[in-house]
Amino acid sequence: MSKSKRLKEMLDSDKLEFIMEAHSGLSAVIAEEAGFDGLWASGLSVSAMTGCKDRNELDLSEVCKVVEWMADHTSVPILVDGDTGGADVNSARIMVNKLTKAGAAGVCIEDKLYPKHNSFLDNGSSDLADPHLHASKIRAMKLENPEFVVIARLEEFISGDGLAEAYNRALIYQEAGADAILVHSKIKTCDEIDSFMGQWNADKTAGLNRIPIVIVPTKYYTTSTDHFRDIGISLVIWANHNLRASINAMKEVSKKIHDEESLISVEDSIATVSEVFRLQRDYELADLEKKVLESSKSVGVILSGKSYNDVPYCYNKIKDKEIIEYQKEALDKSGVIVKSIVTGVNGTELDSMRHSDVLKNYKSDGPIIVSYGDLIYKSYAIRKLETCRGDISVALSKNLTPYRYNEIVSGEKVSEDEVKILFTNTSTMSDSLGSIVGLIRINNAKGFEAFQSVFSDNLKGKRLADLMNVVVKKCDVRGVFISDDDWIDCFCDGELNKEVVNKLW
Ligand code: SPV
Ligand code: MG
């Protein structure tokens, strides 16, 4: 349900409802947390909060900005103090348009002349507007957004024009389409309100349609709330009490800190900094970052088809720690989450790849790291792969010792560190540039498509180097050299590499 509908329901309900003043995002959050079902964006408080007078010194967009802050951080309807509704019907129309966009549920406009002055000021002007001009503003507002709640405020008790004039105008504003009437009074008792309600209720009893009544009991605060219920008030606005409470609190703390040149005696009486963070919902940020970073992480696939002593390569321990743990640490540091570990496929790397659901079905074009299960590497090696411009980046070693002959690549040198791979598994050493380490980054959708396409080819029993020979024809495959100090091959020709332990960092 829209916030305007909720505000309308509060007005129309048989229950006496209450809304609380707020003048900022923070005070709005505090009022909602206290349990209020609606908020009053008070003109007095919003202007005072800026240091301005309650005299239309703030323009509409400034008021809208405050309303927007209030609406952004709360879920309850906001009734905005629209002062006179602007100078004419066009200003009234624009006001509803802008307040709707700012997230307000309704507006209350008083039948005084623009610019208004606060009704409680002794020296304030209380000149009344022409009732028909005021009614036209109400019509223009309802025309602009029929659902947006418009409350017409009577200033006749304030100006001294009295009950008859107030009553007559109430009927005009009801006729113009107002959703409710706010009867304002600045005397210390509820007498003026009582006199109005006596007549309003009598009309209702006589079967006449009478819209809900709203009051602001700032001056007759000693009247019991049950009395407001008894006389049939629909909505009470506690109009400026958060502002006034904060003024006293701020005065006291400023004075103390100034006089004592110390924070000691105030610390326990003010909100903690963590309470400020809570009210700002700082925790949302941590949640958001977690979610966003998780989904922007690359996915890791570990291929560990072969076994040593009946244990898949990656689960063998080196210095009391499984190889997979070393891998996960390095991958995690580089923002890679391991999503698939392929074991138990007694075949080549390509056979293992075909058993990885991630590699077979992955739909996203986010990067994927494919790692052999028998390597230990530093996170630096992964990050180096990110620097490559191709569709696929392959880590290369300058090591050309015999057991790596099957992994040899040739191609064009792009820079000292990078080659465009044109051919792998070359039989002639003369044009070899390096050997494949077993660490690959598929950088984009094109690379991924090329990679996936070979799964349908008849490459059973083939090695990664054979696969690469097909893939290099379909996309740009780059090799990037990593230092032999940054990675360790734990198994060579099916045997544990004895140097591993010495090489481990
Ligand atoms: C306000 O809160 O700004 C009001 C109510 O208009 S009062 O100040 O009581 O007039
Ligand atoms: Mg006001």
Side-chain angles (χ1 to χ4, degrees):
M1 189 192 297
S2 74
K3 289 186 183 176
S4 289
K5 280 211 173 108
R6 274 157 63 195
L7 181 59
K8 177 89 173 138
E9 274 195 7
M10 287 173 81
L11 289 166
D12 291 344
S13 81
D14 292 335
K15 211 168 109 222
L16 175 63
E17 307 270 2
F18 306 90
I19 62 174
M20 180 67 184
E21 169 262 324
H23 50 271
S24 60
L26 180 67
S27 55
V29 168
I30 289 172
E32 182 177 18
E33 275 194 4
F36 283 100
D37 294 327
L39 302 172
W40 167 244
S42 155
L44 172 68
S45 303
V46 170
S47 54
M49 177 272 280
T50 64
C52 289
K53 295 172 202 54
D54 189 11
R55 173 74 175 175
N56 295 118
E57 282 188 4
L58 297 182
D59 65 30
L60 181 58
S61 29
E62 288 166 328
V63 172
C64 282
K65 191 68 223 170
V66 177
V67 173
E68 200 180 306
W69 286 327
M70 291 169 62
D72 276 355
H73 304 296
T74 55
S75 64
V76 293
I78 300 168
L79 175 64
V80 178
D81 182 352
D83 293 334
T84 65
D88 62 5
V89 290
N90 187 47
S91 311
R93 176 187 71 78
I94 291 171
M95 181 178 279
V96 165
N97 184 298
K98 291 202 181 245
L99 287 178
T100 304
K101 286 182 188 146
V107 68
C108 175
I109 57 168
E110 59 204 68
D111 55 358
K112 284 204 300 245
L113 288 180
Y114 178 89
K116 53 62 65 82
H117 220 168
N118 186 278
S119 305
F120 296 150
L121 275 165
D122 291 336
N123 62 348
S125 149
S126 52
D127 289 345
L128 296 179
D130 177 272
H132 298 289
L133 169 65
H134 201 64
S136 305
K137 288 184 192 171
I138 295 166
R139 276 194 210 96
M141 286 178 148
K142 291 305 283 187
L143 210 60
E144 185 68 16
N145 179 355
E147 194 182 272
F148 197 76
V149 169
V150 176
I151 299 180
R153 165 164 152 184
L154 303 173
E155 287 288 308
E156 291 63 47
F157 288 128
I158 308 288
S159 64
D161 287 78
L163 176 64
E165 181 63 21
Y167 208 85
N168 183 36
R169 284 172 176 249
L171 295 180
I172 295 173
Y173 304 153
Q174 172 174 326
E175 180 61 27
D179 295 285
I181 301 288
L182 190 158
V183 188
H184 209 15
S185 169
K186 62 174 182 181
I187 60 172
K188 286 201 159 95
T189 66
C190 194
D191 293 353
E192 289 171 338
I193 306 294
D194 285 345
S195 67
F196 184 94
M197 289 311 288
Q199 212 166 320
W200 202 251
N201 289 334
D203 281 358
K204 262 196 195 165
T205 313
L208 297 170
N209 176 32
R210 291 293 176 258
I211 57 178
I213 299 298
V214 180
I215 57 168
V216 179
T218 307
K219 292 287 178 182
Y220 46 98
Y221 63 91
T222 54
T223 307
S224 80
T225 300
D226 275 343
H227 180 73
F228 302 146
R229 283 194 182 91
D230 292 345
I231 61 172
I233 301 297
S234 290
L235 181 73
V236 168
I237 300 178
W238 308 122
N240 49 39
H241 300 81
N242 271 326
L243 175 84
R244 286 162 60 194
S246 66
I247 289 174
N248 272 6
M250 288 191 284
K251 276 184 175 175
E252 199 179 314
V253 80
S254 287
K255 187 86 184 109
K256 263 199 179 158
I257 294 174
H258 172 267
D259 293 353
E260 295 172 14
E261 295 182 342
S262 159
L263 303 174
I264 290 174
S265 72
V266 302
E267 182 59 27
D268 291 342
S269 63
I270 58 177
T272 58
V273 175
S274 37
E275 174 60 359
V276 179
F277 294 151
R278 190 192 66 79
L279 289 165
Q280 291 172 306
R281 299 190 172 111
D282 202 70
Y283 52 85
E284 285 178 353
L285 205 59
D287 285 356
L288 175 74
E289 272 171 5
K290 200 164 161 247
K291 277 186 206 145
V292 171
L293 291 179
E294 281 285 290
S295 57
S296 71
K297 278 190 171 179
S298 314
V299 165
V301 175
I302 312 293
L303 303 176
S304 201
K306 290 185 197 143
S307 298
Y308 177 75
N309 283 345
D310 290 335
V311 177
Y313 275 174
C314 70
Y315 294 120
N316 277 273
K317 284 190 175 167
I318 309 283
K319 270 200 180 169
D320 291 335
K321 194 156 110 179
E322 289 175 353
I323 294 173
I324 186 78
E325 292 309 317
Y326 290 105
Q327 293 193 341
K328 279 184 173 167
E329 273 170 23
L331 290 164
D332 188 57
K333 268 195 200 160
S334 329
V336 182
I337 321 171
V338 174
K339 280 264 173 79
S340 162
I341 303 172
V342 181
T343 59
V345 182
N346 226 351
T348 62
E349 301 90 35
L350 193 55
D351 296 325
S352 295
M353 282 181 200
R354 298 155 90 111
H355 281 81
S356 163
D357 280 346
V358 172
L359 287 180
K360 268 193 309 196
N361 305 322
Y362 199 59
K363 293 280 183 294
S364 155
D365 57 358
I368 301 184
I369 306 288
V370 181
S371 158
Y372 285 10
D374 62 341
L375 307 178
I376 295 179
Y377 33 77
K378 292 181 183 168
S379 62
Y380 169 76
I382 314 282
R383 286 202 293 274
K384 191 93 193 275
L385 287 177
E386 288 171 18
T387 63
C388 242
R389 282 174 296 271
D391 302 311
I392 294 178
S393 333
V394 178
L396 296 181
S397 162
K398 294 206 164 132
N399 181 341
L400 294 172
T401 46
Y403 83 94
R404 304 203 58 78
Y405 283 178
N406 287 330
E407 322 281 351
I408 276 166
V409 299
S410 62
E412 290 164 7
K413 251 185 142 176
V414 178
S415 70
E416 207 39 53
D417 264 1
E418 190 176 319
V419 295
K420 182 172 167 55
I421 300 180
L422 296 175
F423 197 71
T424 60
N425 202 7
T426 171
S427 48
T428 53
M429 290 291 290
S430 56
D431 55 355
S432 66
L433 289 167
S435 59
I436 294 175
V437 164
L439 202 52
I440 298 170
R441 188 176 195 268
I442 306 169
N443 295 323
N444 56 33
K446 188 171 177 205
F448 192 70
E449 238 170 68
F451 208 80
Q452 251 182 342
S453 71
V454 298
F455 293 150
S456 54
D457 290 354
N458 186 16
L459 288 175
K460 192 162 168 37
K462 297 282 168 84
R463 305 181 54 105
L464 177 65
D466 303 311
L467 174 148
M468 279 300 162
N469 263 341
V470 179
V471 171
V472 290
K473 296 188 180 74
K474 302 190 178 194
C475 70
D476 184 6
V477 181
R478 300 290 172 109
V480 62
F481 288 103
I482 60 171
S483 155
D484 284 340
D485 291 337
D486 291 338
W487 73 287
I488 307 168
D489 206 352
C490 300
F491 295 94
C492 309
D493 290 332
E495 288 306 317
L496 188 67
N497 179 353
K498 298 275 186 322
E499 285 172 32
V500 165
V501 178
N502 303 335
K503 267 190 90 178
L504 206 60
W505 314 280

